[in-house]
């Protein structure tokens, strides 16, 4: 827990020379790339430098901790962290606190008192919003299935649970007949969706909980020569394939969070913390349902990414 | 063929006549053993018996079933029929451990060593000196014990050397030491001398005499007929898996045994027909060949139509010279000239391209694709000749060629599609020979070509090599059997400790002159 | 006193099963070949049992659409498995096929979408990428003397990194329908082209492996590389060629997955190598080298995808699916080894 | 017949460097042993070069805290690698160590958190889970005759599934600080206990491998299983024991990772097996069996974590990191194989 005085510690104050280390949950998925984009944009505006890294898959809690450890040893001016597990990170985040490195969080938090803020979306609420739109499009009744991207990491669980809970609470005539997980792998998700469609001939809708899952479902439809009229598909996140599918009518619509906003707000919060200001404790960057009608709206278009 | 005369002293017959009244518990008694494999009846109603303190030699052609019989006795195969009595009691030998427990140990025809372990670790595998409740190794004690054993057996090996680094011959000595390190009642030796030179063989024979004196019964398998008179008390002959007969000491001579084995007469003392090759073109010229480890300034010439023998003691460096020539091992110096042109040979492919083929002494690990068929093995070096321009194989053509060799060399196999691993040792060796015959190189280096091959087949192979030479091929024969070198070679190069110590023309060569050169540099 | 009875040749009444040598089947009819090869692999029985079981358990299983779906889902892993069968028969292993496939997909995307080259050029470029990776693997193994596991593990990491770097950590989309048709078009009605490509790949691989000199050397090197080398075969050259061939199949798989997804997803691919290798081994090819067959590999790949599809159709929970797959693999390979033992 | 003078032992001037036989080192001092073993592994040179390079490149690298961090990050993979060294020396492979570790962690969580058993019991239970898995692997390989790759691949899937099923697809948290201290406490100031456990494991493994009968048979089986069996060694029994020992190390790794994370993460573990196996092979153990060392494995594991940590310290982009790691692995193993070749 030492080393706070090494490296670039001395000349903080203005934007120049400030380094913010962002430890994300991942980096390969489009969602995280969008967070990175937002962060980089804001960093450029503020004149600070950022590093952005994350493990290859969102199950690699251990690898993420090692990244956090390495970041602390680099003694940056601030750390921005998105916890894969709320508890495992506590010792290291505390160590960062002890080394006087300000910590801000994004997407998911660590159960420690050190972090001063978190920029995130309410995934449960987003899942519920997906359920509302799905129910509306299905006419309030019928069978629906979920292709999840993870049954264990928080976004995967909350986007699913928000959807499931809302359906159970508000739409008694809608039955969730199957939930399977494709790791966000496009190919696997497509095969899962096809199996679901084969097994449940009366299926009226499928909800994909992230970009890979949703695009997989769309691919399944294409491969089976089905259209949006046969099956209501609601996706999550954006990306070109998903947006095209919505334009083409294969997908009814999707929920998007504001990853670019998350990235930007996180960097802003870190910058504020470095400069001794107190950022807002919870920064909710919001979520939206978008479909072919509102996709081009300015507010929506701003949070979508190809 | 007169079996009358040889059968007179058939002790087994005599004793079995008396068996009803006298309680002579034989050490080992084997009756009516049969064993078949898919497509092969390896043994049919075979019998023999073994007394304490005697050496029973078991002979027969390649594939006669000798090794199979011994594998039954050592618990590796289970018999289909027959009884085995050990010390008068019928026994079932269910595995190698059961055989060991009975006191039967075996030196296998094919090497069975752990190459990454040391000599000592190999010899005492499973019987290591231990402490701390049998879990901790006492390595020092192990090495000491091994050093004592090796000294007692007069085997010159470092207990700490890794076995994989040893030559085949030395590995064979490790196998022998391993078998002798247990106090066994029955010791089976399946061609223990096939890779030994005369002097090591002699060491072994003295050991055998000692064991006999201690009452150990020994079953000794060999294709080297001259050894039988030296050590065997009785000789049992099997042929095509059947018992042919047993001859007692004094009542057998080599020609008789060979006739019982093979069914015809073979002249053991033949010499090459004197063809003068001295004026022929030099096809291979090796100058100042050295390797990093051992070989030092070896030079020689090989002429068209010549058979050049390489003789020497174990570890003299003959194999290493051959491997260096064909580019299997790196050279530190040396030029190789083929047909008057200096050639660059850095890998075996180059050697074959320049018409030099090398038959390795270690057929199991360097000579054969054990898991592949006889035909795949025979065709391997010549595959391009059996495929068209697009690389497609012409299977019928290949199969016919393989069949021709199976017939010509009398390879005992149910078909050319048999997996090579399942052939008897001698027949495997014939497969290796066939593959180089088919490749049709102008220069052939045969390293221990007749290892494990029966007398009859040997004679045929000698005839074959002589014929090849007569047709203009040039052949180097590396052999640890002096009679073989003398029988085949027009000229003999003798090596000792990595150098050539002299050349002998066949007329001037004898076992004595060769040994004199081979031990030079040892004094 | 005579003791000998002249040995009479015993007719071999017992010759229950002949061991089937690679490529040694030419003189028999194709039907016989197929039958003997199928029998050789008890894996086939497992496949049939699985199909029957799932057909009985769910009426949705044995439908044209679902069977076609299963075949389509076998395509990518199947092509990878077919290619890597060569490598495994030589006694090697190729861990780079998963992420390597992804790199090939990305390169195809770069050629077609980013550089605007014609489809054919892009496809050939993608496949050539695979061939190049295979070549480098082979070079590293033969000339640098690296163990295949390490050489291809390193390549796996490098390919994974390069796929991300080259794509800019973003999918590359293909606009042209013609490209997507490579996987999803139906030259044969009802059968996606990707499946056709799989079968074509398998057929070519079968012919190469059992009818050509390359196939012979593949088995020979796997049987005993040193003995093969001493026989004058340029084992280095052939080994490099074999890895290159495997790389070509990796490239084809890359093109097919890109066509099927309509995009090159740079983060995909990890784990595909183990699935493909598993398919190969379930199909009876030995990791020790010298033994294997393309038909077996195909069956192995089908077992995996039938099993996974069936479990999905039955809506078995995802977490249980792995358990069941693991057990079925154990049982399938065990029964197969039983048969082998009985035969030996 | 002439009897020759027995050949005098030629002094081995032609044997410049003695290849170090396993366990054949007792007559030399421990210093010498260490030195010869280190030399044996040029991997060590790679490690030193890497450390020097990163120390020069970044002042943050060679700090007490970062070195301790590197060691901590080596702990889990290191323990797995040490265990699996045994298996690899027998010529086998164990793909189940990654997810198996996770299952052990989950079971530890079940025992301690869910069932409220005392810490010690829970830890032993977790390790016993590993031993049981190893035992089953060994049984499947020896008695059912399955290839190690398949047997352990199946176990990998089964363990992965069971970890999810048993945990109810959610992390199990450990409340007691004492449990977390297993990994993060510092019996030796500045050195996390997890690192201590790694070194202890390595020491025990070293002793077992080089000084005990189990170690001897591990090498013997890997060198030539058939010959070992024919020598009367019950190879099945010992193989099962060896896999069980490897399983025990997997169990220890499971406890350590659970303690480090303060929770059992049921989805962790995939990919750890390849990292561990890579460490073993980088350390000079041969996948062909018969040859290997624990010290090498330790160095191999350190190379991997130093490299990854260094790249992170230098803020190399994540997507480039894999590329660099791949290349360094190639270079490290290549230089090592060069040395071996020069020696041979
Ligand atoms: N496991 C096996 N499967 C099939 N055939 C076998 C097997 N073992 C031996 N044979 C066959 O049994 C016959 C006897 O073989 P065996 O090895 O006993 O001969 P041998 O007398 O020892 O010959 P050699 O002198 O060549 O060593 C041979 O035809 C051989 O091919
Ligand atoms: N791989 C090796 N590693 C170390 N030493 C070796 C190796 N191969 C051979 N030697 C040594 O080189 C010397 C020459 O062996 P080589 O095999 O050439 O002798 P040889 O005359 O063919 O005798 P042999 O009858 O044993 O085959 C021997 O002293 C042997 O110990
Ligand atoms: Mg024999
Ligand atoms: Mg020799």
């Amino acid at each position: 827990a030492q080393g706070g005085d090494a490296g670039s510690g001395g000349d903080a104050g203005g934007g120049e020379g400030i380094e913010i280390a962002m430890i994300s949950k991942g980096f390969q998925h489009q969602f995280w790339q969008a967070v990175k984009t937002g962060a980089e944009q804001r960093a450029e505006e503020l004149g600070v430098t950022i590093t952005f890294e994350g493990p290859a898959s969102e199950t690699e809690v251990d690898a993420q901790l090692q990244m956090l450890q390495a970041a602390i040893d680099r003694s940056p001016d601030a750390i921005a962290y998105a916890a894969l597990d709320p508890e495992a990170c506590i010792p290291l985040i505390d160590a960062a606190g002890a080394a006087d490195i300000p910590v801000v969080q994004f997407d998911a938090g660590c159960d420690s008192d050190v972090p001063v803020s978190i920029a995130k979306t309410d995934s449960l609420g987003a899942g519920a919003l997906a359920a509302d739109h799905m129910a509306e499009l299905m006419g309030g009744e019928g069978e629906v299935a979920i292709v999840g991207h993870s049954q264990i990491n928080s976004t995967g669980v909350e986007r699913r649970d928000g959807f499931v809970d809302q359906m159970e609470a508000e739409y008694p005539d809608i039955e969730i007949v199957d939930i399977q997980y494709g790791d966000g792998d496009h190919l696997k998700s497509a095969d899962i969706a096809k199996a679901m469609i084969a097994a449940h001939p009366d299926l009226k809708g499928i909800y994909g909980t992230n970009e890979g899952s949703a695009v997989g479902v769309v691919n399944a439809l294409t491969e089976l020569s089905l259209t949006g009229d046969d099956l209501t598909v609601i996706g999550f996140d954006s990306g070109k394939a998903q947006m095209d599918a919505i334009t083409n009518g294969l997908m009814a619509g999707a929920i998007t969070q504001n990853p670019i906003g998350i990235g930007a707000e996180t960097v802003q919060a870190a910058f504020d913390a470095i400069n001794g200001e107190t950022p807002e404790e919870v920064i909710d960057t919001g979520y939206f349902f978008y479909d072919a009608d509102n996709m081009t709206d300015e507010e929506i278009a701003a949070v979508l990414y190809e | 063929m007169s079996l009358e005369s040889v059968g007179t002293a058939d002790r087994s017959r005599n004793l079995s006549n008396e068996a009803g009244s006298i309680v002579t518990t034989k050490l080992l008694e084997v009756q009516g053993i049969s064993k078949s494999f898919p497509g092969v009846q390896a043994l049919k109603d075979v019998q023999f018996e073994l007394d304490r303190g005697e050496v029973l030699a078991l002979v027969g052609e390649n594939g006669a079933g000798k090794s199979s019989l011994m594998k039954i006795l050592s618990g590796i195969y289970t018999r289909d029929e027959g009884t085995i009595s050990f010390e008068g009691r019928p026994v079932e030998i269910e595995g190698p451990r059961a055989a060991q427990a009975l006191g039967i140990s075996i030196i296998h025809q094919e090497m069975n060593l752990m190459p990454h372990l040391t000599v000592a670790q190999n010899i005492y595998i499973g019987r290591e000196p231990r402490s701390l409740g049998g879990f901790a190794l006492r390595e020092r004690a192990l090495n000491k014990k091994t050093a004592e054993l090796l000294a007692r057996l007069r085997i010159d090996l470092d207990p700490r050397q890794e076995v994989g680094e040893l030559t085949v011959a030395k590995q064979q000595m490790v196998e022998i030491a391993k078998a002798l390190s247990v106090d066994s009642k029955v010791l089976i030796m399946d061609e223990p001398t096939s890779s030994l030179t005369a002097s090591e063989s002699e060491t072994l024979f003295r050991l055998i005499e000692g064991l006999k004196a201690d009452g150990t019964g020994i079953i000794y398998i060999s294709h080297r007929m001259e050894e039988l008179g030296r050590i065997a008390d009785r000789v049992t002959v099997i042929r095509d898996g059947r018992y042919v007969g047993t001859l007692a000491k004094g009542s057998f001579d080599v020609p008789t045994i060979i006739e019982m084995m093979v069914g015809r007469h073979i002249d053991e003392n033949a010499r090459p027909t004197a063809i003068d090759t001295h004026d022929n073109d030099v096809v291979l010229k090796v100058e100042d060949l050295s390797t990093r480890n051992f070989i030092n300034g070896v030079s020689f010439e090989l002429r068209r139509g010549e058979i050049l023998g390489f003789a020497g003691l174990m570890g003299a460096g003959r194999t290493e010279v051959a491997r260096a020539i064909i580019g299997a091992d790196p050279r530190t110096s040396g030029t190789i000239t083929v047909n008057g042109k200096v050639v660059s040979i850095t890998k075996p492919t180059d050697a074959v391209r320049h018409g030099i083929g090398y038959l390795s002494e270690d057929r199991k690990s360097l000579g054969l694709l054990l898991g592949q068929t006889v035909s795949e093995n025979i065709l391997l070096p010549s595959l391009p000749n059996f495929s068209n321009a697009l690389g497609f194989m012409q299977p019928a053509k290949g199969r016919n060629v393989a069949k021709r060799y199976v017939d010509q060399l009398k390879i005992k196999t149910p078909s050319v599609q048999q997996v090579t691993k399942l052939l008897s040792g001698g027949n495997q060796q014939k497969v290796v020979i066939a593959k180089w015959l088919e490749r049709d190189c102008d220069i052939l280096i045969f390293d221990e070509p007749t290892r494990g091959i029966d007398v009859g087949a040997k004679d045929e192979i000698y005839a074959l090599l002589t014929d090849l030479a007569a047709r203009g091929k040039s052949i180097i024969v590396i052999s640890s059997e002096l009679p073989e070198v003398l029988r085949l070679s027009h000229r003999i190069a003798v090596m000792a400790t990595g150098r050539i110590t002299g050349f002998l023309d066949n007329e001037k060569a004898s076992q004595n002159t060769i040994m004199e050169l081979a031990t030079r540099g040892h004094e | 006193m005579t003791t000998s009875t002249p040995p009479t040749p015993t007719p071999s009444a017992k010759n229950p099963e002949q061991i089937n040598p690679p490529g040694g089947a030419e003189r028999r009819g194709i039907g016989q070949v197929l039958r003997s090869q199928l029998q050789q692999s008890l894996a086939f029985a497992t496949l049939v049992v699985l199909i029957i079981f799932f057909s009985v358990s769910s009426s949705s299983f044995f439908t044209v659409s679902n069977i076609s779906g299963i075949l389509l889902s076998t395509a990518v892993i199947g092509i990878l498995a077919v290619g890597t069968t060569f490598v495994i028969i030589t006694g090697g292993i190729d861990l780079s096929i998963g992420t390597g496939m992804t790199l090939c997909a990305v390169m195809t995307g770069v050629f077609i979408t980013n550089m605007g080259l014609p489809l054919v050029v892009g496809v050939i470029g993608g496949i050539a990428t695979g061939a190049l990776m295979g070549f480098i693997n082979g070079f590293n193994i033969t000339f640098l003397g690296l163990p295949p596991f390490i050489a291809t593990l390193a390549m796996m990491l490098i390919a994974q990194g390069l796929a991300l770097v080259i794509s800019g950590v973003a999918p590359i989309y293909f606009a042209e329908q013609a490209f997507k048709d490579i996987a999803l078009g139906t030259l044969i009605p009802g059968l996606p082209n990707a499946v056709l490509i799989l079968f074509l790949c398998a057929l070519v691989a079968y012919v190469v492996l059992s009818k050509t000199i390359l196939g012979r050397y593949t088995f020979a090197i796997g049987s005993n590389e040193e003995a093969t080398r001493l026989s004058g075969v340029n084992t280095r050259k052939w080994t490099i060629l074999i890895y290159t061939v495997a790389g070509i199949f990796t490239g084809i798989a890359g093109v097919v997955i890109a066509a099927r997804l309509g995009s090159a997803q740079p983060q995909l691919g990890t784990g595909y190598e183990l699935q493909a290798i598993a398919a190969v081994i379930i199909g009876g090819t030995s990791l020790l080298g010298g033994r294997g067959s393309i038909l077996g590999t195909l069956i192995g790949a089908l077992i995996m995808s039938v099993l996974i599809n069936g479990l999905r159709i039955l809506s078995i929970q995802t977490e249980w699916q792995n358990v069941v797959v693991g057990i079925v693999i154990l049982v399938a390979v065990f029964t197969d080894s039983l048969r082998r033992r009985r035969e030996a």
Side-chain angles (χ1 to χ4, degrees), chain B residues 48-303:
Chain B
F48 74 85
E49 46 192 51
L50 179 69
D51 263 329
R52 292 176 186 79
E54 78 162 346
V55 175
L56 172 71
L58 192 61
V59 298
E61 283 179 293
N62 294 132
K66 305 177 294 293
S67 298
S68 302
L69 185 56
M70 294 305 112
K71 284 181 184 169
I72 288 171
L73 290 178
S74 55
I76 295 164
Y77 290 164
T78 45
R79 59 187 188 274
D80 297 341
E81 284 166 43
T83 55
I84 302 172
S85 326
F86 187 76
E87 295 182 321
R89 279 173 293 112
V91 288
E92 291 300 325
I93 303 171
E94 263 149 12
R97 284 157 68 80
Q100 272 186 9
L102 283 174
I104 300 175
S105 61
I106 178 165
I107 300 171
H108 288 286
Q109 179 175 11
E110 303 297 343
M111 228 74 79
N112 263 298
L113 295 169
M114 281 74 60
H116 301 95
L117 300 194
T118 65
V119 169
Q121 291 166 354
N122 262 283
I123 290 177
Y124 285 103
I125 183 81
R127 299 174 288 122
E128 298 82 358
R130 305 172 194 186
S131 61
L132 300 179
F135 200 63
L137 291 167
R138 294 174 51 220
E139 200 69 15
R140 206 182 302 229
L142 172 69
N143 285 330
K144 186 154 163 277
K145 202 167 154 181
T146 310
E148 285 164 9
L149 174 78
L150 293 173
R152 182 159 55 82
L153 301 180
R154 302 231 268 132
I155 296 175
D156 171 46
L157 281 174
D158 177 359
R160 292 183 169 84
Q161 188 157 18
E162 235 175 89
V163 158
E165 300 171 6
L166 300 175
T167 60
V168 180
K170 286 190 173 175
Q171 291 182 0
Q172 186 67 53
M173 295 310 282
V174 176
E175 288 269 24
I176 291 169
K178 182 176 168 185
L180 296 185
S181 66
V182 265
D183 289 326
S184 44
K185 294 172 181 162
V186 173
L187 177 58
I188 300 167
M189 301 188 178
D190 196 347
E191 304 193 29
T193 53
S194 67
S195 50
L196 300 188
T197 56
S199 61
E200 288 92 32
S201 301
E202 190 52 37
T203 311
L204 178 66
F205 298 153
R206 290 210 208 95
L207 293 171
I208 290 177
E209 276 157 11
L211 291 170
K212 268 173 71 170
D214 296 340
T216 311
I218 293 164
I219 303 173
Y220 186 90
I221 298 175
S222 180
H223 289 296
R224 294 188 173 174
M225 293 299 134
E226 71 279 6
E227 295 173 353
L228 302 184
R230 168 78 176 76
I231 54 156
D233 295 312
R234 290 186 300 138
V235 177
T236 290
V237 182
I238 58 175
R239 187 154 125 205
D240 284 340
R242 286 161 184 266
Y243 177 76
V244 177
T246 299
L247 307 173
K249 188 144 202 160
S251 76
F252 62 76
D253 56 16
V254 171
T256 324
I257 296 170
I258 293 177
E259 245 184 85
M260 282 173 79
M261 281 172 57
V262 188
R264 65 188 164 86
H265 180 74
I266 284 167
D267 178 10
E268 279 246 297
N269 294 316
R271 284 272 178 135
T273 35
I275 303 166
D276 192 4
T277 55
H278 282 90
D279 299 330
N280 290 0
D281 303 338
V282 173
V283 290
L284 174 71
K285 188 167 169 193
V286 174
E287 286 165 294
D288 190 31
L289 181 82
S290 302
T291 65
R292 203 163 62 84
N293 286 342
F294 193 53
I295 301 303
N296 196 341
V298 164
S299 304
F300 66 89
E301 291 179 349
L302 178 69
R303 290 173 187 276

Side-chain angles (χ1 to χ4, degrees), chain B residues 406-418:
Chain B
V406 166
D407 293 341
Q408 187 186 351
L409 299 180
K410 301 201 175 65
I411 299 174
K412 195 172 174 237
T413 172
S415 85
V416 291
Q417 308 285 28
Q418 177 76 322

